[in-house]
């Protein structure tokens, strides 16, 4: 075992969760990034991941790895930047542990993030959400659970990690239903629930029964619902909803599109980007501004509010040479004497 092994172990198991307070989801994301990096470096050097040294993770190796995940794995530039951010965080950790590698670490820090196109995000319209939520069979226990689970995800604009992490103790269904959510950065937010959402959650609680876990949503075995489990449930009802909703046919719907759909509905209802940011739990309002770019109603109001400039109108007067040329092309010289020399053709000029 080389010096790298205890360092990466201490980074992922002690520094991130205990000293920095990173969530388990963030630690898993970082761990997966280093799994990809170590496998790539070991294959490139013809060795095993356990025999890699700190010196092997130099700037040329990191640049080659970033190119690999884009070209060979087909990852986007944003994913590439996430992997680079994880590597730089580990390098900052190494600065205090291995001072002799400061020059190498500095060169890795100098690798820039890659700029990329920021396309409009895809979201679900209210008609599409309605078709999906009407899919579950409410005569079965699993159907009641699936309706409540998808309804809460949309109504609260929840991330999947927030949804599956909701506990029964986080619910308040009396005197105005609400749910407390633990979001990114360990920040809690309390969200009021629509009456229909609260009704679906009450229906699920009535058939949930006694389970050994505190999570609100559980699978058929009574264990907490997982991210993969929720994605499977959503995919199933998207396929079913596509039979009646044409826009869902041959479309890949991710759970995050439910969150985007909620954000658009909230923006159209409130016309206040700050309220949308608070609802979604965004730390920076600039993150929420993406919904301003995708909502056409915001631009339509701007167009209707602006008085366009009054432009002078005119009439195009064709010169004699142009008339003669047109007549020669039509081969009708017999009628040329009937054409006025200064023929006028109405048109708008700007």
């Amino acid at each position: 075992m080389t010096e790298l092994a205890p360092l990466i172990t201490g980074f992922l198991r002690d520094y991130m969760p205990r000293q920095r307070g990173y969530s388990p989801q963030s630690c898993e994301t970082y761990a997966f990034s280093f799994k990809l990096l170590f496998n790539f470096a070991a294959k490139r050097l013809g060795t095993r991941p356990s025999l890699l040294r700190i010196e092997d993770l130099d700037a040329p190796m990191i640049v080659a790895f970033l190119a690999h995940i884009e070209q060979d794995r087909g990852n986007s530039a944003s994913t590439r930047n996430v992997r680079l951010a994880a590597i730089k965080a580990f390098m900052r950790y190494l600065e205090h542990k291995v001072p002799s590698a400061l020059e190498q670490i500095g060169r890795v820090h100098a690798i820039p993030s890659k700029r990329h196109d920021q396309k409009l995000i895809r979201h679900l319209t209210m008609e599409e959400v309605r078709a999906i939520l009407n899919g579950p069979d409410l005569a079965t226990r699993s159907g009641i659970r699936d309706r409540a689970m998808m309804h809460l995800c949309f109504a609260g604009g929840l991330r999947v990690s927030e949804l599956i992490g909701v506990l029964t103790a986080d619910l308040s269904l009396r005197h105005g239903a609400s749910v407390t959510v633990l979001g990114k950065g360990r920040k809690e937010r309390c969200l009021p629930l629509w009456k229909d959402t609260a009704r679906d959650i009450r229906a699920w609680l009535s058939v949930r029964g006694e389970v050994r876990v505190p999570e609100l949503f559980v699978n058929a075995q009574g264990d907490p619902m997982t991210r993969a489990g929720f994605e499977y449930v959503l995919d199933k009802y998207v396929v079913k909803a596509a039979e009646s909703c044409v826009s869902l046919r041959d479309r890949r719907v991710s759970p995050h599109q439910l969150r985007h759909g909620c954000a658009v509905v909230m923006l159209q209802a409130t016309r206040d980007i700050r309220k949308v940011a608070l609802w979604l739990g965004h730390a920076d309002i600039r993150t929420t501004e993406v919904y301003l770019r995708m909502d056409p109603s915001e631009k339509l109001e701007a167009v209707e509010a602006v008085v366009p400039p009054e432009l002078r109108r005119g009439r195009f007067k064709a010169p004699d040479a142009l008339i003669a040329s047109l007549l020669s092309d039509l081969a009708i010289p017999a009628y040329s004497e009937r054409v006025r020399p200064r023929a006028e053709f109405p048109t708008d000029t700007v």
Side-chain angles (χ1 to χ4, degrees):
M1 184 174 62
T2 64
E3 186 182 8
L4 179 61
L7 287 171
I8 191 65
T9 301
F11 176 73
L12 293 174
R13 295 186 179 180
D14 178 69
Y15 177 75
M16 289 190 62
R18 297 179 183 177
Q19 298 184 36
R20 296 296 305 276
Y22 279 69
S23 66
Q25 291 80 11
S26 296
C27 293
E28 290 178 4
T29 301
Y30 275 57
F32 184 71
S33 298
F34 288 108
K35 175 185 176 182
L36 295 177
L37 173 61
F38 294 161
N39 287 336
F40 171 80
K43 184 177 180 180
R44 187 181 181 91
L45 297 174
T47 184
R48 299 199 305 271
S50 60
L51 299 179
L52 289 174
R53 302 170 302 167
I54 297 176
E55 294 78 8
D56 296 329
L57 303 181
D58 55 6
M61 178 65 74
I62 302 302
V63 171
F65 166 69
L66 297 176
H68 159 72
I69 61 176
E70 279 193 283
Q71 299 171 5
D72 300 333
R73 290 181 57 85
N75 294 149
S76 63
S78 59
T79 302
R80 177 250 192 210
N81 292 339
V82 170
R83 306 300 179 211
L84 178 59
I87 295 170
K88 288 185 176 181
F90 179 59
M91 291 299 169
R92 286 192 294 271
Y93 174 77
L94 289 183
E95 290 176 356
H96 305 280
K97 302 292 183 179
V98 190
S100 60
L102 285 178
E103 181 180 357
Q104 173 187 340
I105 293 171
R107 292 179 178 177
V108 173
H109 281 309
I111 301 175
S113 298
K114 189 173 185 178
R115 302 192 66 175
H116 56 88
D117 297 336
Q118 296 183 359
K119 298 181 180 180
L120 294 178
I121 58 178
R122 301 197 65 181
H123 69 286
L124 294 172
T125 64
M126 187 63 75
E127 179 184 356
E128 294 168 343
V129 171
R130 188 180 298 109
I132 294 173
L133 295 183
N134 284 332
D137 183 5
L138 300 183
T140 63
R141 180 177 181 272
S142 62
I144 296 175
R145 179 205 61 189
D146 297 344
R147 162 74 77 82
M149 189 164 53
M150 294 187 296
H151 202 165
L152 179 60
C153 184
F154 169 73
L158 303 184
R159 304 176 179 92
V160 179
S161 59
E162 297 171 347
L163 176 68
I164 62 179
V166 172
L167 309 179
T168 53
D170 296 331
L171 288 172
S172 176
L173 300 178
R174 298 179 181 178
H175 309 295
S178 64
V179 60
T180 301
V181 178
L182 182 63
K184 276 188 175 181
R186 299 185 178 276
K187 294 190 294 290
E188 285 188 341
R189 66 184 190 275
C190 184
L191 301 174
L193 297 177
W194 298 335
K195 292 182 179 179
D196 289 344
T197 309
R199 186 182 302 112
D200 286 340
I201 293 177
R202 290 191 184 98
W204 162 240
L205 290 176
S206 66
V207 299
R208 179 174 178 269
E210 295 294 332
V211 294
R212 60 182 181 273
V213 295
E215 282 78 10
L216 175 61
F217 298 110
V218 296
N219 56 24
Q221 289 74 37
D223 298 323
M225 180 63 63
T226 63
R227 178 186 298 269
F230 179 71
E231 291 177 350
Y232 171 80
V233 169
L234 180 61
D235 289 341
K236 178 174 65 175
Y237 292 112
V238 167
V239 173
K240 184 175 182 180
E243 299 176 358
S244 58
C245 186
V246 179
S247 59
L248 289 175
R249 295 177 182 175
D250 300 325
R251 177 176 170 182
R252 176 72 174 89
V253 176
S254 67
H256 220 62
Q257 292 185 26
L258 287 171
R259 175 175 166 88
H260 294 327
C262 173
V264 173
V265 171
M266 292 293 297
L267 179 60
Q268 293 173 345
T270 63
R271 301 298 182 189
D272 192 339
I273 194 67
R274 295 168 299 176
K275 294 180 180 179
V276 179
L278 289 173
W279 190 271
L280 299 179
H282 285 166
D284 191 341
I285 197 172
R286 289 176 296 181
T287 307
T288 322
E289 290 176 353
V290 65
Y291 300 109
L292 291 174
R293 294 193 292 113
M294 64 181 293
D295 184 13
S297 61
E298 294 290 328
K299 289 83 172 177
L300 182 61
E301 288 185 359
V303 170
E304 294 176 346
V306 174
V307 178
E310 296 184 1
L311 303 178
R312 179 177 58 83
R313 302 297 176 180
R315 299 175 68 87
F316 171 70
K317 296 181 178 180
D320 296 340
L322 175 61
I323 298 299
S325 174
L326 292 175
L327 294 178
S328 62
D329 291 340
L330 295 176
I332 50 174
Y335 294 91
S336 60
E337 67 277 3
R338 299 181 183 179
V339 181
R340 290 179 299 174
R342 305 291 293 179
E344 296 182 354
F345 295 90
T347 184
D348 291 339
T349 61
V350 293

